Amino acid sequence: VVVESPAKARTIKKYLGAGYTVKASVGHVKDMPKSRLGVDVTKGFEPEYVVLRDKKKIIAEIRAAAALVEFVYLAPDPDREGEAIAWHIAEELRDVNPNIQRVLFNEITRKGITEALKHPTDLDMNKTDAQQARRILDRLVGYEISPILWKKVRRGLSAGRVQSVAVRLVVEREREREAFKIDEYWTIDGVFEKG
């Protein structure tokens, strides 16, 4: 069983007992490379993923454990990020153990865990694709804009799909303000008698 959190791994191991090995991925294990864009815009925006440098040891441990068991149950959090983590782990394990299934722990209780293990599923590629699309968009926008922030504001800042739109709105509003022409105008109030 592979979960994200080491604390969850310890608790789940206590509930499942000696018949199970429980490992923690400690979050994402793969991402796009830091040194280049990592998205091939000429091939349908295909992302390139690499194992994170600080996760190579964790992946090696999970692979070693997966080679010794009949089934691998991927149990990262039941959201888009968790689904992407499960998919990346599955990609790293398929050659040592193709019997990979997804389980969703909605509660970390003995009953919740044993019930989830009775109903394993396949990876939800819709969730994975949704997370991947968000990540690609972050990369396409942020990778180009972040270096500008480093030069103009402060090193280490990053821009993503949300910040970039906000910056654009601020810039457009500032341009409108600068382009505004001040014209003199008068308001005249009058009182008139009919006839």
Side-chain angles (χ1 to χ4, degrees), residues 10-148:
R10 287 188 294 274
T11 303
I12 291 167
K13 176 67 177 156
K14 278 190 269 182
Y15 290 146
L16 293 177
Y20 287 86
T21 302
V22 184
K23 296 286 183 184
S25 72
V26 193
H28 282 277
V29 295
K30 292 173 106 173
D31 198 5
M32 292 175 212
K34 288 184 185 274
S35 60
R36 57 190 177 281
L37 184 61
V39 178
D40 191 339
V41 295
T42 63
K43 292 184 180 173
F45 296 92
E46 177 127 357
E48 172 193 355
Y49 291 106
V50 295
V51 174
L52 297 168
R53 190 172 56 226
D54 61 336
K55 297 299 176 81
K56 288 183 179 185
K57 183 179 176 194
I58 290 171
I59 285 292
E61 289 174 10
I62 295 171
R63 282 176 58 83
L68 301 174
V69 297
E70 188 177 353
F71 291 98
V72 176
Y73 297 105
L74 300 177
D77 294 347
D79 57 15
R80 286 188 307 264
E81 293 296 320
E83 208 66 30
I85 291 167
W87 176 61
H88 284 145
I89 293 169
E91 293 295 304
E92 292 298 310
L93 300 183
R94 279 197 191 1
D95 63 327
V96 295
N97 189 333
N99 299 320
I100 299 170
Q101 293 187 297
R102 177 77 161 111
V103 291
L104 302 173
F105 295 150
N106 293 310
E107 58 182 73
I108 307 300
T109 62
R110 186 179 309 277
K111 181 182 176 211
I113 290 163
T114 54
E115 199 56 38
L117 286 169
K118 290 178 188 174
H119 306 289
T121 64
D122 292 326
L123 290 169
D124 184 342
M125 291 310 293
N126 288 330
K127 280 185 183 175
T128 299
D129 290 344
Q131 188 278 342
Q132 191 168 233
R134 184 194 61 76
R135 186 68 190 96
I136 290 168
L137 190 55
D138 273 344
R139 179 54 69 103
L140 290 173
V141 173
Y143 199 80
E144 301 295 326
I145 294 176
S146 293
I148 296 168

